[in-house]
Amino acid sequence: MSPRIGVVTFPGSLDDVDAARAVRLAGATPVSLWHDDSALRGVNAVILPGGFSYGDYLRCGAIARFSAVMETVVDAARGGLPVLGICNGFQILCESHLLPGALTRNRELHFRNRDQALEIGNTGTAWTGAFTPGQRIVVPVKNGEGCFVADTATLDALEAENRVVARYVEGNPNGSQRDIAGICNEAGNVVGMMPHPEHAVERLTGPSTDGLGVFTSVLAHLGATTV
Amino acid sequence: MTRVVVDVMLKPEILDPQGEAVVNALPRLGAGQVASVRIGKRIELEFTEGTDEKVMREQATEIADKLLANPVIEDFTVRLPDASEAEPTA
């Protein structure tokens, strides 16, 4: 039986359908999870998709953090469940204190929407095992508040502990400190990234199929951990 | 008095691109002497009539710390407005 990967829909989520499609293309079974329902339906991993949960009111991700589903997601993530936050999902993970730092308004104020080159960092996480360290990939980025900030001590610790999962190369789209596009928690089961791998899984609609590796990574990770 | 005001500001070291955009527009208003603009949020919490002042302060502080401000990037202050401050328009 293929692994079941939950995709949460919040009011204002946009990319939940694309995330579910990427999960299916990678060979897993997508399971819809609802913001107002704490049940995780026996999933083996969870994706928090991109969009504008709760209209981005107050701060991006600030209100989603208090949703019913996030209470169980936070507990499960602390217990080792693989969790991936993409864009708004990354913002929610930071607001939930599963990941350090915060995402703030893009330095140039523009909403940035383009194909973005990334350099993969840590490949020991649940979501990046299919890549090689230093590998260059191209996936879409689209955000207005994607500027990653943290204090110097946190940034130094992220780098010293090899917790930078991806960096922007060939241009930083939002002013993120140290070109950070994605990070993971200490255990490597929780990953957040601003770029959208779920939009780069088919030649017809994406700039590449590089994003598929994120989703096949978690399948391999789950296979390795359930044996 | 049942209102508590929470002011949320970006920490000084956090870049405020909105404030920069505003300050860059000011010379066109003839206000070129303004060196810096920082933009924050003012949040008014209206408590049920008769709520104890200490309870209001404590609850407002907890709400600000957990939800209204993100301590990674923002500072907040909690205050009970004095009588001279205008009532909010309904």
Side-chain angles (χ1 to χ4, degrees), chain A residues 58-59 62-63 65-66 94-95 97 101-109 149-151, chain B residues 8 10 13-15 17-18 20-21 41 43 65-74:
Chain A
L58 192 62
R59 290 181 310 279
I63 302 191
R65 172 194 167 193
F66 293 97
C94 289
E95 285 283 345
H97 308 308
L103 285 313
T104 61
R105 190 66 64 98
N106 290 356
R107 183 177 289 261
E108 306 297 334
L109 284 172
V149 298
D151 59 44
Chain B
V8 178
L10 282 173
E13 66 270 25
I14 301 291
L15 181 77
Q18 282 191 96
E20 289 195 355
K41 295 187 192 100
I43 298 147
D65 186 50
K66 287 192 174 158
L67 176 61
L68 301 179
N70 178 349
V72 175
I73 50 170
E74 294 167 327

Side-chain angles (χ1 to χ4, degrees), chain A residues 1 5 18 28 48 54 71 84 110 118 190 194 209 211:
Chain A
M1 206 175 82
I5 300 183
D18 273 24
L48 307 177
Y54 301 91
E71 283 184 25
L84 172 68
H110 299 293
L118 303 174
V190 178
M194 282 316 286
T209 56

